[in-house]
Amino acid sequence: MQDLQPIPVAPTGATPAQTEQKLRAQAVQLEAAFLSEMLKCAEVGRPMDSFGGGIGEEQFASFLRDAYSEKMAEKGGIGLAESIFHALTKGQGHV
């Protein structure tokens, strides 16, 4: 059986720092998507029964959740991005 080799994640000529920065950004984006789904389950952005904004508020609630989740992930979130980053770089010799 052959030994499995990691697939390079960076294009040829990219420095390890550039690759690490790109992977970290992707991990943060993935955490933000996860947090957005969790906020949706928690009904964040759900219109209030009284003084609600109508159908417009319902349609734009996802934008509010996405903005919240992106800011949360940028500030460290729940630590999921760091775990994802370490998993992505495990076989790449970065960390």
Side-chain angles (χ1 to χ4, degrees), residues 9-10 15-29 85 88-89 94:
V9 294
T15 65
Q18 290 171 329
T19 303
E20 184 177 318
Q21 184 179 11
K22 185 175 180 179
L23 286 175
R24 194 170 296 278
Q26 293 295 319
V28 169
Q29 284 182 344
F85 174 74
L88 289 173
T89 58
H94 292 282

Side-chain angles (χ1 to χ4, degrees), residues 15-63:
T15 65
Q18 290 171 329
T19 303
E20 184 177 318
Q21 184 179 11
K22 185 175 180 179
L23 286 175
R24 194 170 296 278
Q26 293 295 319
V28 169
Q29 284 182 344
L30 186 56
E31 180 176 6
F34 174 79
L35 289 172
S36 181
E37 287 300 312
M38 294 300 101
L39 292 174
K40 182 179 178 182
C41 290
E43 297 184 350
V44 171
R46 185 177 146 257
M48 297 172 39
D49 292 334
S50 60
F51 301 108
I55 193 156
E57 186 175 7
E58 290 176 21
Q59 291 175 341
F60 287 97
S62 65
F63 292 113

Side-chain angles (χ1 to χ4, degrees), residues 27 30-31 34 76-85:
L30 186 56
E31 180 176 6
F34 174 79
I78 57 173
L80 184 60
E82 196 63 27
S83 296
I84 293 169
F85 174 74

